[in-house]
Each structure stands twice: as C-alpha cells, then as structure tokens.
Amino acid sequence: MTEVTTPNVYHPAEIEEKWQNRWAEQGLYDADIDSSRKPFYAVSMLPYPSGDLHIGHWYALVPSDARARFQRMQGFNVMFPIGFDAFGLPAENAAIKHNVHPKEWTYANIERMRGQLRTMGTMFDWRREMVSCDPKYYRWTQWFFTQLFKGDLAYRKSSPVDWCPHCNTTLAREQVWGDDRHCERCDTPVIKRQLEQWFFRTTNYADELLSFSGIEWPERVRTLQTNWIGRSEGAHVTFQTEALGESQESDEIEVFTTRADTLWGATFMVLAPEHPLVDKITTDTQREQVEAYIAEATRQTDVEREATDQEKTGVFTGAYAINPASGARVPIWIADYVLMTYGSGAIMAVPAGDQRDFEFARKYGLDISVVIQPEGEELPDSETMTAAVSAKGVMIHSGPLTGTDSSKDMDKVLAYLEEKGIGRRAVNFRLRDWLISRQRYWGTPIPIVYCPDCGAVPVPDDQLPVELPEDVDWRPTGESPLKLHPTWRQTPCPQCGQEAERETDTMDTFMCSSWYHLRYLSPDYDKGPFDPAEYDYWMPVATYTGGIEHANMHLIYTRFFHKACRDLGILSGDEPMTTLRNQGIILGEDSEKMSKSRGNVVAPDALVERYGTDTIRAYLMFFARWEQGAPWDSNGIEGTFRWLRRVWALCPDSPVGEATNDGTAKDGTAKDTASTLRALKRKVHQTLASVAHDYENFEFNTIVSSLMELLNEMYRAREAGVVGTSEWNEAWSFYLRMLAPTAPHIAEELWQRLWPGDSVHVQSWPEYSEEAAAEEEITLVLQVNGKVRDRLQVAVDIDRDEAEKAALASEIVQKFLDGKEPRKVIYVPGRLVNVVV
RNA sequence: GCGAAAGUGGCGGAAUUGGUAGACGCGCAAGACUCAGAAUCUUGUGUCCGCAAGGAUGUGGGGGUUCGAGUCCCCCCUUUCGCACCA
C-alpha cells in the first residue's frame, strides 16, 4: 500500500485554468507562416452564437482539436482557428422575444461563448477569429457578391420560390426538407410565392461538383451530393405543334427524355399546368376546362400536388403535336404530375414504358403503343397489359431503328436523332440555382443599387461595406425590414449619380459561411478578402470537420463558391477542403434528441466544474465511435475520470533524471524484472503505433482505450519493481506525449513535474521502434477441424515443422483427433495450426 | 418506390489482409479496507448444461464459398438517414 501522508490526488480545477492562461500568455498556439515547416490547416464548422456552448459543440470541436494537436506533434505547422456564424434568424427571433437588438444579443452571446470555448482547452489561434456580422467581415462577403455579379454568376429573376410563412422569408431549395416540404429552421411547411429574387448560378458547376477527385470526403456525403445534384443523361427532343388554322404557325415544344429509344411509343404529350405555351395552344372548346384545372392546381399546396400516391389528373388542351420520329399526331394534355421545375416542364408520354404515363393513358383512354420487346418475355399486348414495362431492350415498330437493342446501343439511337435533326444529346440536373435573397434584417445587405437608367448596379469596392443600419424595425412583416427604413434606401446611382434605391433584401447566411475559412487566413487584411501569401501557404484546408446535416447545403455552397472564385481569378485550386469528416450526434440519456423541452440536455459547464476539461475531452473521444455518436451516459464519464486519476496517482512525483534502477536490483527477481521491462517497452511502442494510426483515421475511441490498457500494464510493471529504470522513464515520456492531444492539461502538469521546462505541447511525437514493439513469444492457437482446442506459448519465429509437431504433441489435440489420421494440417505463421481430419 | 449506411453481451463499443469474438470502459456481483458510507483496491461477469473439470453454443435470420466467416457471396428481416410523379 502507498503511504497516506502525501495525498497525491488529481484536482483538475487546480491545474486547468492555470495552464490555459499560461499557454495564452506564451502564444503557444499562434500559427504563423513558417516556410521551414509543412502547413496543416484544420477547420471545424464554425458555431452559431446561440448563447450557450452545448455538448454537441464540444463533441464537434474537441476530437478535431486533439487531432490537430497530434498533427502538430508530428511536426506540422498547425493552424486551428475559430469564429462565429453571427448573422441569422435566431438572433432576430430572440430579439423579438426579449426585446433586445439582434446585434446586442449576438455580441453578448459571442462574448459568453468565447469564455466557454476557452474552458475547452483547445489550441485555437484567437488572433485569427472572424465574426461574420462584423462590417470588416461582411464588407468582403459583399465584395464576393459583386464579383459573382460581374462574372455573371449572380442574377435576378422572378420565379415561384419557396417561402416560409413563419420565418417570413424565402428559402433556398436546399433549406426545404422532408415529405411535407418544411422549413429547415422552424419546421413550418413552405408555400410558393412568385418573387423577384437573386440567384447564384450553382447549376453552371453541376458537372464539376459531381467530381470528387483529389479530395477525400466520406462516401456518404458524396452520395448525398451526387443524388442532390441528380444528373441524368438523355436527349432534348423537339415536337412541333399542329397549326390550328392555315394562318397560324406551329410552335415547338421541347421535352427532355432519358429514353429516346421509346420515342416511337410517345402517343401523347403532357405539359405542366404552368407551361408558357398552354394558354396559346388551348382550343376554344377546351379553354374552360383547362383554365379550371390550372386554377385548381394553383390552389393546391406543393405537398398536395406532389403527393405521389395521388391519382393522376389532367385535361386535354385540344391541341395536337407531331411525333417527330413516327409522324403520328399526338394529343397535348396538361397534368400536374409534370413539374415546371424539372426539365422543360413538358414530357413526351410513353405509356407502354412509363408507369405514370401508363396510368394516365388508361384513365383517359389514350393510345398505348409497345415499342420495346422485353427480353425473354412475350410482347405485351397494349389492350391487356396492366403495367408499363420500363426496361430497355430491342426496339420494335421504330422505323429505321427497329431491331436496335437500346440496353446496349443507346448511342446509335441518339446519333440517329441528331442526324435527323429531331433531337440532340442533353444532360439534365435536379440541382437548381442557389436562391440567396432573404427578406430579413439580420444579414449581409445585398450590395446592389437600382437605378432607373442603369438598372441593377453593384456597389463599387471603395463604397463597401454597405452597412446594415441599426435603427431599423426588425420585426418581420413579410417585407424586408430595410425597406421600411426612412432614409437608408435612397442613394445616388454609383454609375450616373442620379437618385436610386438600394436592394433591401439581405443574403442567405450560407453566403457568409461559404468563405469564412478564407478570412481566418488574415482576418484584419483590408486589401482583399484574404492575404494571398497566407492563402498560398495554408490552403487548402487539410481537414474539415462538422455535422453531416450540411451535406447538401453548406458543403455544396462552399465548393461552388470556391470553384466560382477560381474561375473569377480570385484564388487557385479546385477544392477548398481536402479531407472531410463528420461527427455523429450525441443523444440524451433517454436516447432522444437533446432538447430543452425534453429536459435531457447535457450542460458542459457543469461537467467541467465536476470533472474538469480533460475528463470531458477524453470521455467525448472514448464513449462512442466519433463518426456515429451515441446516447449520453453520465455514469460512463466516471470511468474516464478514474483513468486520469490513476494516471496522476501512478506518475512519479519528482523530476526524472538518470535511471536509478537497472532492473537487477531486486534480489532473486532479476530475471522476472528483465522480462517485465521488455514487456513494458514492447507495450509502450505497440501503443504508440496504434495511437498514431487511430489519430490519422479519426478513431478516437480506441486511442483512449489503448492508453488505458497501457496504464494497466504500467501498474502491473510497477508491482514488478521497475520504478526508476530507463524503461519506466521512457514509458512516462511516451505516455505523457501520447496523452497530450487528448488531455492537454494533465499531460502538461505531469510533464512539467517530470521534465520541467518546455511545454509538452512543443515536444515532438515519440519515435517508434519496430524492434521494441516486436513480440518474442506468441500464443499459437491449435484447432481441430477449425475449432479452437488448445493454445501454446511458442517463440515468434517457430517454423512450420516445429509448429505442426507441437500441435500434434498436444494431449488435447490428440483427444479430439480421437485416433484419426490428420488429412491436412494448415499452418498460419504467427497465428495457428489447424488439424483437419 | 429509388439511393446510402448500419445490425456484435444488460449498455457504449474492440477485432490490419478471412485466422484466439467480446479489447477498453460503463453496469452488475462477490470480497478487502472502513464504526459506516464515499473513494480506492482485488476477483468475476456472452448464453446454456455442469459442484467442478469440461462441454455445447454464439456477431439480425436463412443459405453458400472455405481447413477456417463478425469479416467474402446470394436471399430475407429490422433500424436510421437522404431523395421522391425528376420524365
């Protein structure tokens, strides 16, 4: 038993703040350009200053911080900055609730969160902090907007857009979620409104966004983005409408199809009710019905209209078109199952090959013409068939292409269309342009002035920022609050000087977060959004970490933004972030999503007070697979606390010098001690290898468990009398350095105890010795017919013959052989012998 | 409906290329120390049979490949997530 006179007890409160202050004073985490070292730029998605740091913030930031610290010990020059995504709706909502100005609310929260972030013990370089609602920041957000505008990547158009009636603003398509098409923020179902809004041409980059070459992003995110972008290859085919009278000209209706091989089976056409040609082609006799249908369609919500289980409805326009391949006269209908927002808002209907068209044709008695011979099946009869047959196959009744197998030779079909001038190859995307106008107050003003003569004019660089006025009634009315300001709108046209008006919408806050990683490079730089020298040294971001919920929003926007800026000559490189990783979600102890209303929220501040930062850091890394998350378990944290207490208690209590114990001092146990020392050294090096591997691969839980295992081994070694040996000292030197990224305070305190001087955090990562890690003995598993029957301790270099001999010599093996002759003996070097009978 | 991921003890989770399933921790049980508790320490802990030795069984279910499968292949079930009349 250890003596009770010197209470050597771990009290995190006594050391953590002390070290945080000292590191800050020393500028330990200041990251500056240093061409002699390789840069490592690590970014975690910036937090929104909602008021209190919650456990989710810790979960996102701490393992990222630990990994950044590890990279630093590996010799990289690491920059790990932090900032605040400070514009946005919650500030306005909270401001309304508590009657404080959004700015005041936001900055008070930021101040509070800065304090909380400091208790986390992260290696943030605070000199690089950015705050997106600061005019120094949004000046450049506006500058980027004007650049995109000048490059024709920002444009204004009137279109039906998604409107959240609760947030009183438009939303981007990406911010409308789920079956009921609700607002991503407040869950209210959105409605459509026809509005004049600003868009970015994200669709220009659709194809490039589908390529993930050169970046290491999780499969999951790539799939989400790929599906979101929704590329389909096919053809545009043009149908001519039949002229109504001799004096009239025919119109062209363009359709997109992925199945040009079924063109001969197109027996009717369907236009979306909003299609611009509908009014023109509708005949007098059908007009009443058509208008009634359109009115009904308009009245319906998107949800109702787009419900897939609804029976299809439609109305004949009275007009006909000519199938450009077959020459057939086909009726033109309108139906709401055709969406104006996809393709050209018109389709060629092939009821034999498309289930939707089939149902529609059956309901309204339209012709069905089978043009694909299904492989290995009888030709469906158009009168009796009960479902469309969508597979490709050999084309029939298809003029010159009859006999072509479209499952193999689609190219021939497309070539034919092009040759005959019927259609042309085309690619269609689901992705839409990014709607960035918001009718809210707390955002970056869109830097545009509307002049009666010059039109929409971007505010010149030297007049930026267009500052957000503070004396505004920011209560949402459905109109942009800036519109209601008495004077702010009026401004001379930057081009001709006559009286003009400012744009009063603000930008989607995803615009702010599309480039914040560039502002960290040089937050005070005023000759551009970032200092090119800093950019050249640090970019691209080496690892980017954050939640996966942004896969189709922020993570698409920021990639678009980077590529657009590249093409505008603002920066270089194709991608902003090389490696992306997503943490999972911590649920409440009841396995439900944490929320105030459920009362299952875990408060980090209270945990820090009780256990200290290091314990929470270690627990967050240990308690679940980081990329997966898990329900919180408040008992589990005791285990990590116990571990750190045991580290503290085992650590020698005075500086380490030369070895004071050569391992032979203990009488009669010299041999045992020697093997213990070898085993200790081996375990230390093996742990080193696995810890390093796990840091590289974001496998944080096994880092902590390896360190726990090693500590257990060290406790056993102490009992064997190794204290004071060079192996023991090396174990501590390694242990504290391996611990430092995870539990930086205790590692520093103990390091200073043993090796007073430079911080543990400027030490280099221990050097691995393969020789030291090598096993001398292995457990040879003996199997009979694949079942484990016995185990033997043997030398690691045992050869095949010896191993087989040893196996057959085993009594237990013999018992299970039961006198039978081995038919085959399998030997896996270093692992097992399997005797097969 | 389409796409993706995941199913391992009471719980979180380990397990390079197919080669000792359940590391590490929580929880639980017994014990030590203590007047008692807390803390700490020791031991045990997948399931079933057995006093034990030992044996059987076991990674969502079923089949297959293999000397050998948590891992590879096929089918099915469940859960989570994303998209959804996308032409």
Side-chain angles (χ1 to χ4, degrees):
Chain A
M1 283 314 307
T2 49
E3 71 278 51
V4 283
T5 46
T6 49
N8 187 19
V9 181
Y10 173 47
H11 290 300
E14 290 168 7
I15 62 164
E16 293 187 341
E17 209 183 330
K18 174 182 81 180
W19 285 116
Q20 284 161 15
N21 290 337
R22 217 169 284 181
W23 296 330
E25 284 160 25
Q26 293 168 356
L28 191 65
Y29 304 123
D30 291 356
D32 295 303
I33 293 179
D34 174 358
S35 55
S36 70
R37 286 190 295 160
K38 278 196 196 149
F40 190 92
Y41 185 13
V43 182
S44 273
M45 289 184 193
L46 84 171
Y48 179 81
S50 53
D52 265 310
L53 217 55
H54 55 77
I55 201 74
H57 288 120
W58 279 72
Y59 198 49
L61 294 168
V62 161
S64 305
D65 172 68
R67 191 167 182 277
R69 288 173 173 276
F70 165 74
Q71 298 292 1
R72 175 184 162 123
M73 294 179 84
Q74 294 270 303
F76 288 99
N77 186 15
V78 177
M79 164 159 64
F80 187 50
I82 187 78
F84 295 94
D85 186 17
F87 270 136
L89 281 179
E92 284 177 78
N93 296 339
I96 292 158
K97 204 167 154 195
H98 303 117
N99 200 33
V100 278
H101 196 278
K103 180 179 174 183
E104 206 182 304
W105 183 86
T106 302
Y107 276 98
N109 285 349
I110 289 176
E111 199 41 49
R112 180 179 173 77
M113 286 174 77
R114 278 182 186 136
Q116 293 175 320
L117 283 164
R118 283 177 205 277
T119 68
M120 227 187 253
T122 46
M123 56 172 292
F124 295 134
D125 179 354
W126 285 96
R127 302 170 311 158
R128 293 177 177 274
E129 184 203 56
M130 53 65 56
V131 176
S132 68
C133 67
D134 184 335
K136 263 179 22 205
Y137 182 86
Y138 71 68
R139 167 189 178 185
W140 298 107
T141 309
Q142 292 173 334
W143 180 84
F144 277 116
F145 180 95
T146 60
Q147 293 292 308
L148 290 166
F149 178 81
K150 290 170 193 164
D152 192 31
L153 288 167
Y155 67 97
R156 194 162 182 256
K157 78 167 178 196
S158 173
S159 70
V161 293
D162 294 308
W163 174 270
C164 173
H166 182 256
C167 297
N168 272 299
T169 182
T170 51
L171 299 173
R173 174 68 190 86
E174 290 77 15
Q175 287 164 289
V176 180
W177 286 12
D179 295 354
D180 59 346
R181 300 184 41 73
H182 63 262
C183 168
E184 167 252 336
R185 275 244 110 79
C186 70
D187 297 346
T188 311
V190 301
I191 57 172
K192 278 271 190 290
R193 279 183 69 175
Q194 183 77 27
L195 285 171
E196 181 101 2
Q197 301 279 281
W198 284 95
F199 293 84
F200 287 154
R201 294 193 198 276
T202 38
T203 51
N204 279 18
Y205 291 86
D207 250 324
E208 203 192 330
L209 288 168
L210 284 169
S211 161
F212 297 91
S213 68
I215 57 176
E216 206 232 307
W217 283 30
E219 177 75 37
R220 182 137 169 252
V221 174
R222 299 199 319 248
T223 307
L224 284 170
Q225 294 200 347
T226 303
N227 292 344
W228 186 262
I229 293 165
R231 182 181 204 271
S232 26
E233 281 184 23
H236 280 137
V237 178
T238 309
F239 284 61
Q240 300 286 333
T241 61
E242 199 178 56
L244 285 174
E246 283 181 17
S247 57
Q248 293 218 8
E249 284 178 18
S250 68
D251 290 293
E252 289 187 348
I253 302 177
E254 192 179 69
V255 300
F256 175 74
T257 177
T258 55
R259 293 297 303 278
D261 57 320
T262 62
L263 180 52
W264 278 264
T267 50
F268 59 101
M269 297 189 81
V270 187
L271 308 187
E274 304 87 347
H275 195 283
L277 271 179
V278 171
D279 185 57
K280 188 175 177 194
I281 62 171
T282 300
T283 58
D284 293 342
T285 49
Q286 293 300 106
R287 187 161 301 274
E288 201 177 319
Q289 272 194 54
V290 167
E291 281 172 1
Y293 186 82
I294 293 171
E296 175 61 25
T298 324
R299 200 174 316 130
Q300 281 189 321
T301 64
D302 273 13
V303 191
E304 289 166 347
R305 227 183 111 169
E306 291 177 15
T308 51
D309 49 2
Q310 197 171 270
E311 196 179 330
K312 298 185 184 1
T313 58
V315 177
F316 180 41
T317 62
Y320 289 85
I322 304 302
N323 182 322
S326 65
R329 183 168 182 258
V330 298
I332 305 171
W333 287 61
I334 62 168
D336 62 9
Y337 80 88
V338 173
L339 309 175
M340 196 57 223
T341 48
Y342 185 80
S344 61
I347 62 161
M348 63 177 212
V350 184
D354 183 287
Q355 186 60 22
R356 294 157 299 176
D357 299 344
F358 179 82
E359 286 167 21
F360 196 80
R362 276 283 185 262
K363 180 168 177 184
Y364 294 106
L366 297 162
D367 287 349
I368 295 174
S369 168
V370 178
V371 292
I372 298 288
Q373 167 68 58
E375 199 188 338
E377 281 172 47
E378 259 181 59
L379 186 66
D381 182 280
S382 63
E383 297 297 319
T384 58
M385 63 194 293
T386 55
V389 179
S390 60
K392 289 179 184 170
V394 175
M395 296 165 67
I396 55 173
H397 306 311
S398 296
L401 291 181
T402 297
T404 307
D405 185 345
S406 64
S407 65
K408 299 194 180 77
D409 208 359
M410 204 58 195
D411 202 56
K412 183 175 170 190
V413 179
L414 295 167
Y416 175 83
L417 295 188
E418 288 182 335
E419 184 196 319
K420 295 286 169 192
I422 297 169
R424 57 184 201 287
R425 279 167 231 257
V427 174
N428 201 44
F429 295 96
R430 216 187 68 100
L431 183 76
R432 304 208 214 136
D433 280 345
W434 174 14
L435 193 172
I436 60 134
S437 306
R438 295 292 179 274
Q439 292 69 46
R440 293 295 296 229
Y441 165 64
W442 194 234
T444 307
I446 295 176
I448 288 287
V449 173
Y450 299 104
C451 167
D453 289 337
C454 311
V457 180
V459 176
D461 297 357
D462 60 7
Q463 291 173 34
L464 295 177
V466 176
E467 284 212 39
L468 188 64
E470 288 181 30
D471 54 335
V472 166
D473 183 3
W474 25 264
R475 269 151 253 272
T477 58
E479 287 282 9
S480 301
L482 292 179
K483 209 176 242 178
L484 308 174
H485 191 279
T487 55
W488 184 82
R489 292 173 78 181
Q490 286 97 54
T491 184
C493 168
Q495 241 162 53
C496 69
Q498 72 167 304
E499 204 160 291
E501 284 198 358
R502 293 191 188 282
E503 164 70 58
T504 54
D505 284 351
T506 51
M507 282 186 237
D508 182 0
T509 53
F510 280 116
M511 176 67 181
C512 311
S513 55
S514 287
W515 73 280
Y516 73 101
H517 55 284
L518 299 173
R519 195 59 185 166
Y520 285 146
L521 297 169
S522 48
D524 299 318
Y525 192 68
D526 63 1
K527 296 181 192 67
F530 55 84
D531 181 341
E534 298 269 348
Y535 184 97
D536 290 343
Y537 180 72
W538 296 105
M539 283 292 286
V541 174
T543 53
Y544 193 43
T545 52
I548 196 158
E549 66 273 15
H550 288 297
N552 288 338
M553 301 192 291
H554 166 61
L555 291 173
I556 286 195
Y557 297 143
T558 195
R559 291 181 69 212
F560 155 76
F561 192 91
H562 189 93
K563 291 169 191 298
C565 287
R566 174 202 60 197
D567 291 347
L568 294 170
I570 296 167
L571 46 75
S572 59
D574 295 331
E575 295 280 352
M577 294 113 185
T578 310
T579 296
L580 172 75
R581 284 301 134 98
N582 309 106
Q583 79 274 7
I585 294 171
I586 302 187
L587 301 172
E589 290 203 79
D590 52 3
S591 297
E592 300 286 336
K593 195 169 180 275
M594 278 193 203
S595 73
K596 277 185 193 153
S597 57
R598 281 198 186 86
N600 61 355
V601 174
V602 174
D605 288 359
L607 291 171
V608 171
E609 207 169 303
R610 183 154 172 203
Y611 297 103
T613 293
D614 283 337
T615 294
I616 301 164
R617 287 175 61 102
Y619 185 57
L620 287 171
M621 291 171 64
F622 175 67
F623 93 112
R625 228 180 284 168
W626 185 66
E627 304 199 58
Q628 190 175 289
W632 182 257
D633 174 6
S634 52
N635 288 320
I637 197 168
E638 295 285 349
T640 0
F641 192 35
R642 194 169 298 139
W643 166 53
L644 291 181
R645 282 204 305 261
R646 277 162 55 81
V647 172
W648 184 278
L650 186 66
C651 184
D653 54 11
S654 54
V656 167
E658 290 295 304
T660 53
N661 175 351
D662 64 3
T664 59
K666 280 208 163 183
D667 41 50
T669 59
K671 187 162 170 278
D672 287 351
T673 311
S675 80
T676 303
L677 289 174
R678 270 201 309 278
L680 175 63
K681 192 178 177 84
R682 183 181 309 127
K683 185 72 178 174
V684 165
H685 282 265
Q686 287 174 344
T687 304
L688 179 66
S690 81
V691 166
H693 170 270
D694 293 348
Y695 266 120
E696 289 292 349
N697 294 288
F698 298 82
E699 290 163 14
F700 302 111
N701 52 343
T702 43
I703 291 170
V704 175
S705 57
S706 309
L707 290 173
M708 285 174 170
E709 270 188 71
L710 176 54
L711 188 72
N712 293 341
E713 180 82 16
M714 286 163 70
Y715 264 90
R716 283 190 288 271
R718 181 181 68 169
E719 294 311 304
V722 305
V723 173
T725 59
S726 61
E727 285 84 352
W728 179 251
N729 295 344
E730 184 195 65
W732 276 103
S733 162
F734 276 43
Y735 202 88
L736 295 178
R737 281 183 284 167
M738 289 192 282
L739 182 64
T742 300
H745 310 85
I746 186 175
E748 181 77 307
E749 178 72 21
L750 297 179
W751 182 265
Q752 295 303 327
R753 198 199 274 180
L754 302 188
W755 291 280
D758 286 342
S759 168
V760 69
H761 303 297
V762 301
Q763 306 300 321
S764 58
W765 192 248
E767 219 167 295
Y768 174 65
S769 159
E770 203 165 323
E771 197 192 336
E775 296 283 356
E776 288 164 14
E777 276 199 332
I778 52 153
T779 305
L780 187 71
V781 171
L782 306 184
Q783 297 183 331
V784 177
N785 287 335
K787 293 197 176 183
V788 179
R789 294 303 181 185
D790 200 2
R791 298 180 170 92
L792 293 177
Q793 283 302 117
V794 299
V796 70
D797 55 357
I798 188 169
D799 67 25
R800 183 184 194 99
D801 283 352
E802 285 175 284
E804 285 182 15
K805 229 174 272 173
L808 292 170
S810 156
E811 277 178 37
I812 298 170
V813 169
Q814 281 303 324
K815 183 183 135 201
F816 279 93
L817 286 179
D818 199 20
K820 296 189 201 92
E821 269 305 297
R823 189 160 60 83
K824 197 171 167 189
V825 180
I826 314 265
Y827 172 61
V828 183
R831 298 223 181 242
L832 57 77
V833 176
N834 185 12
V835 184
V836 185
V837 292

